[in-house]
Amino acid sequence: MSEILLKIKDLIVEFPTRRGLLRAVDKVSFEISKGEVLGIVGESGAGKSLTGAAIIGLLEPPGRIGGGEIIFDGQRIDNLSDEQMRPLRGKRIAMIFQDPLTSLNPLYRIGEQLIETIQTHLSMDNKQARTRAIELLDEVGIPAPQTRIDAYPHQFSGGMRQRVVIALALAGEPDLIIADEPTTALDVSVQAQIISLLKNLCKERGTAIMLITHDMGVIAETADRMAVMYSGQIAEIGKTYDLIRNPKHPYSVGLMGSIPAIKGDVKRLVQIPGSMPRLNDIPQGCSFNPRCGKAFKPCYKKRSPLIEVGNSSVACWLYDEEYKGAKAK
Amino acid sequence: MLAFAIRRMFQSIIVLLVVGLVAFSMFNFVGDPVDSMLGQERTDADVERVRIQLGLDQPFPVQYYKFLKGAIKGNFGISYRQGRPVSDIIAERLPATLELAFVSAVLAIIFGVALGIFTAIRRNGWAANTIMTLSLIGVSLPTFLIGILLIYIFAVELGWLPSFGRGDVVDLGWWRTGFLTKSGLLAIILPAITLGLYQMTLIMRIVRAEMLEVLRTDYIKFARARGLSKRAVNFGHALKNTMVPVITVTGMQIGSIIAFAIITETVFQWPGVGLLFINAIRFVDIPIMAAYLMLISVMFVSINLIVDLLYFAIDPRLRLDKTKG
């Protein structure tokens, strides 16, 4: 895990509205190494999916990148046109969406969709592409792929469809897969299968994954590192193990506290009071301050930069040298 | 699928019977054909004789039964005015109407679908906005006005195209076509545009609305995320998904094209069945009117049947699952 595949620096995603610009992603920075799995967690509206969409260049207008840099494999890609970006999509960076039921075109056989994708990225004739498509379906665990290749999406169950979607994402042999809540729409019993399938296939190929989810269980099981996003910003980023065992940002602490543990005492689950601020109503200073039990003076003035604490980086003044030992107001 | 087709056939026959009944009963109110057939110096005996000759003395159900019995064999009686079999007269006139309807339907579909896609993909461009605004004119102007305007511009002022008639026709034995002569082709341009303009704007607006809907779906986003070309996404993945509603409307519009040809044929004095029908009304020529209405309803019903069968060809979800797993 050394060579950096994707580097994001101060990424801003904004929406122009009649009442001015709304920043949905506010100066987010992180890196993904080759073959690494980075989990991104956060509540709905924290900017996780928009960050993913910005990387692959599929932000829905009027949303747009308002600043910062996205560097993929040494090349800056945030300023590429749609046509320049296209050869990268599917071939270098693939994306998996939340709902497998609507991700596949209902009017085409899955084989047609696979072969089309394979032939877009790799120079193969129809026969080779079909053979490759069957291999891919076999790899993602579709039984009897030789016959199922000619089936239509509606003839598959949800879990099977998500397997097909994964096969489609892998068809161009990408270096990075952005998986945007890949299991949210599936049955709990199928979720684990899909996640481990995705993880194993990517491990074999050395494909990095950016796993966007709000399911901590999925992250804990899959991700090498994880980032916690809150209100368009990264609150904390670090090794998954450290972050789960020893969260540092008050928001991460609250987040981990809200997961029920199977072992140990049955305590009341911790809940974070209040809700995430709306985009047009983000408080000054740290955006978490209205909900934070440990907020003190500097939190209301300025947002903290990411401060390195142990193996993690935390955006919280509590860990700043200057304020060490300061007490909550 | 076969069961479906048979069931639809059965329904179609019932629809035709009802249309026939309604049409036939209406003819009792359009006037007395005997008035226009006999001159002013008729006697009561003359009137009575003609009535019996035409079968008008018989009660209504009997008349309807006789009409149906003949219609099944393709025999619609004898025109009161021309004294020739109605089926012959219609067979003579039908090619003109079908050629006109065909050309305007082709124009409407080609330009309607193309402009619909264009305005959906470039939805904020000035060209798309201009087309959308102009299409309002196409939807709101009545057909006869468009026809008269076109005649004024291209026939009267510019003198490029003929203002009426069908030009020279070539007789193929069972079909007289205007497609094989220069004057025939020139003559069809204005009426075809007049007849097809409304349908074109309608098709265009529906294609556009459906396209915009489909372009927002997840599978289009996923297709783009897989790096497929714009062309493959727009024309392969998006367009095919817009086709079911578009075909429904287009099918119904083709029926209307044939039916509305009456107005266009009147404006351009196009020698088709529409003009025949208008003249038949003037002279209360019941057999021709009845045959025309039956013909139009047969066309409507069969177009609808074809449209329903096309759904199966386009959308695999409607077909019976054989590989369900």
Side-chain angles (χ1 to χ4, degrees):
Chain A
M1 313 253 162
S2 49
E3 216 177 324
I4 287 168
L5 179 68
L6 178 77
K7 186 183 164 103
I8 292 177
K9 228 171 94 187
D10 293 334
L11 178 71
I12 295 172
V13 175
E14 59 191 13
F15 290 83
T17 68
R18 246 175 272 169
R19 290 188 204 153
L21 285 177
L22 289 183
R23 271 194 187 181
V25 174
D26 192 2
K27 296 199 172 171
V28 162
S29 305
F30 61 82
E31 290 164 0
I32 299 179
S33 305
K34 287 195 171 156
E36 185 188 37
V37 181
L38 175 73
I40 299 201
V41 283
E43 294 168 50
S44 313
K48 308 172 302 230
S49 299
L50 285 174
T51 308
I55 294 169
I56 201 167
L58 287 177
L59 280 173
E60 296 275 333
R64 62 180 192 213
I65 295 176
E69 288 181 5
I70 302 171
I71 297 158
F72 179 77
D73 209 11
Q75 185 198 358
R76 206 172 149 187
I77 59 168
D78 55 290
N79 49 8
L80 294 184
S81 72
D82 202 52
E83 263 320 285
Q84 289 170 311
M85 193 63 205
R86 204 172 55 70
L88 268 78
R89 283 192 208 124
K91 175 82 184 129
R92 307 294 313 272
I93 308 176
M95 190 150 184
I96 297 174
F97 293 98
Q98 190 178 109
D99 192 351
L101 301 182
T102 56
S103 288
L104 298 169
N105 192 331
L107 302 188
Y108 290 96
R109 296 170 200 280
I110 58 161
E112 289 168 336
Q113 304 191 38
L114 268 164
I115 290 167
E116 183 185 23
T117 313
I118 291 168
Q119 288 186 328
T120 304
H121 299 298
L122 312 171
S123 52
M124 282 191 182
D125 62 31
N126 290 339
K127 213 176 157 194
Q128 286 171 314
R130 191 179 162 87
T131 315
R132 180 83 194 108
I134 293 173
E135 277 169 28
L136 278 167
L137 288 176
D138 192 36
E139 279 184 83
V140 296
I142 303 275
Q146 294 89 340
T147 52
R148 299 294 278 158
I149 189 171
D150 291 320
Y152 286 97
H154 70 274
Q155 294 167 322
F156 289 84
S157 67
M160 284 294 156
R161 275 193 235 185
Q162 195 63 309
R163 286 171 192 263
V164 174
V165 168
I166 291 173
L168 278 164
L170 291 171
E173 291 162 13
D175 302 302
L176 171 69
I177 293 184
I178 300 170
D180 189 356
E181 313 240 11
T183 57
T184 309
L186 299 175
D187 285 348
V188 181
S189 53
V190 184
Q191 288 183 0
Q193 291 175 13
I194 296 292
I195 285 294
S196 66
L197 174 76
L198 184 63
K199 193 183 173 183
N200 293 336
L201 287 174
C202 289
K203 212 171 195 176
E204 285 166 22
R205 289 150 208 257
T207 306
I209 307 176
M210 176 174 155
L211 182 63
I212 300 167
T213 180
H214 51 240
D215 186 336
M216 292 299 298
V218 166
I219 293 267
E221 213 161 292
T222 322
D224 302 308
R225 287 192 309 134
M226 67 181 280
V228 177
M229 278 188 81
Y230 184 80
S231 171
Q233 297 160 6
I234 289 189
E236 184 169 356
I237 181 166
K239 288 242 163 69
T240 307
Y241 184 85
D242 296 338
L243 227 153
I244 290 179
R245 288 287 141 164
N246 185 16
K248 297 192 174 64
H249 193 287
Y251 178 64
S252 320
V253 175
L255 208 58
M256 301 308 155
S258 61
I259 305 164
I262 293 175
K263 287 181 193 164
D265 302 339
V266 182
K267 281 182 285 187
R268 233 187 124 76
L269 286 178
V270 183
Q271 65 169 20
I272 308 172
S275 58
M276 208 167 65
R278 289 152 52 103
L279 285 181
N280 55 7
D281 193 23
I282 293 175
Q284 213 201 338
C286 173
S287 52
F288 188 58
N289 66 36
R291 304 171 72 186
C292 183
K294 293 185 175 168
F296 62 118
K297 242 184 175 172
C299 302
Y300 297 97
K301 288 196 180 129
K302 217 181 140 203
R303 187 178 137 196
S304 161
L306 280 172
I307 300 166
E308 281 195 28
V309 185
N311 284 328
S312 309
S313 299
V314 188
C316 181
W317 290 119
L318 282 176
Y319 300 92
D320 190 275
E321 287 296 329
E322 203 184 317
Y323 302 107
K324 265 239 164 101
K327 283 269 151 29
K329 49 158 189 179
Chain B
M1 172 114 173
L2 190 68
F4 169 82
I6 291 169
R7 211 175 327 129
R8 282 303 309 264
M9 264 342 184
F10 190 68
Q11 287 170 356
S12 307
I13 290 170
I14 293 177
V15 169
L16 289 179
L17 285 176
V18 172
V19 169
L21 185 65
V22 170
F24 215 74
S25 55
M26 273 191 339
F27 297 144
N28 284 329
F29 305 107
V30 288
D32 194 341
V34 181
D35 281 347
S36 56
M37 288 174 78
L38 300 173
Q40 297 219 329
E41 289 149 33
R42 63 193 172 192
T43 61
D44 282 355
D46 286 339
V47 172
E48 202 50 38
R49 183 176 46 80
V50 174
R51 273 188 181 285
I52 293 168
Q53 193 189 330
L54 297 177
L56 292 174
D57 57 327
Q58 286 160 324
F60 174 75
V62 178
Q63 285 185 39
Y64 182 52
Y65 173 73
K66 279 192 169 166
F67 167 74
L68 284 182
K69 214 169 121 186
I72 291 168
K73 295 182 210 143
N75 172 17
F76 290 92
I78 304 220
S79 161
Y80 295 166
R81 202 169 101 82
Q82 302 189 24
R84 293 196 295 141
V86 172
S87 38
D88 288 1
I89 299 174
I90 288 197
E92 227 167 68
R93 294 285 201 124
L94 197 57
T97 297
L98 289 183
E99 282 183 2
L100 176 61
F102 174 76
V103 173
S104 29
V106 168
L107 285 179
I109 292 170
I110 291 177
F111 285 99
V113 171
L115 289 175
I117 295 169
F118 177 79
T119 50
I121 294 173
R122 302 270 167 84
R123 65 178 166 287
N124 293 320
W126 64 269
N129 287 334
T130 313
I131 292 170
M132 285 306 288
T133 313
L134 286 178
S135 79
L136 278 177
I137 300 174
V139 173
S140 50
L141 276 189
T143 310
F144 69 87
L145 191 61
I146 293 171
I148 290 167
L149 280 175
L150 287 177
I151 289 176
Y152 177 73
I153 296 170
F154 292 100
V156 178
E157 288 296 317
L158 298 171
W160 291 350
L161 298 166
S163 63
F164 71 91
R166 222 186 146 193
D168 298 327
V169 290
V170 176
D171 200 338
L172 301 176
W174 50 278
W175 188 281
R176 283 199 290 179
T177 178
F179 286 162
L180 297 175
T181 60
K182 193 176 165 227
S183 68
L185 288 173
L186 285 178
I188 208 167
I189 296 174
L190 288 185
I193 292 175
T194 308
L195 186 54
L197 195 65
Y198 174 77
Q199 331 293 338
M200 186 199 88
T201 45
L202 201 70
I203 291 172
M204 175 191 128
R205 291 182 152 259
I206 284 159
V207 169
R208 179 186 129 94
E210 284 298 323
M211 259 317 247
L212 288 178
E213 192 69 32
V214 170
L215 286 175
R216 270 197 291 271
T217 57
D218 280 356
Y219 53 82
I220 293 302
K221 244 199 280 178
F222 189 46
R224 293 184 63 204
R226 280 184 277 147
L228 303 183
S229 65
K230 259 192 190 140
R231 201 197 162 95
V233 172
N234 288 337
F235 292 92
H237 287 264
L239 187 60
K240 197 172 176 188
N241 275 284
T242 65
M243 278 297 122
V244 165
V246 170
I247 282 179
T248 311
V249 173
T250 310
M252 290 191 320
Q253 290 309 314
I254 288 174
S256 318
I257 281 182
I258 295 170
F260 285 137
I262 292 179
I263 297 167
T264 309
E265 286 183 10
T266 311
V267 172
F268 288 93
Q269 287 298 301
W270 188 262
V273 283
L275 197 58
L276 178 73
F277 180 69
I278 290 289
N279 291 334
I281 291 177
R282 206 176 302 157
F283 295 103
V284 202
D285 201 341
I286 292 174
I288 286 190
M289 284 150 66
Y292 175 79
L293 285 176
M294 288 311 283
L295 183 75
I296 294 293
S297 45
V298 165
M299 282 183 181
F300 256 95
V301 165
S302 35
I303 286 168
N304 272 321
L305 187 65
I306 292 168
V307 165
D308 282 343
L309 294 178
L310 275 180
Y311 292 163
F312 285 91
I314 289 177
D315 196 334
R317 284 167 294 186
L318 296 173
R319 288 175 222 153
L320 212 60
D321 281 1
K322 272 178 234 144
T323 45
K324 181 99 191 166

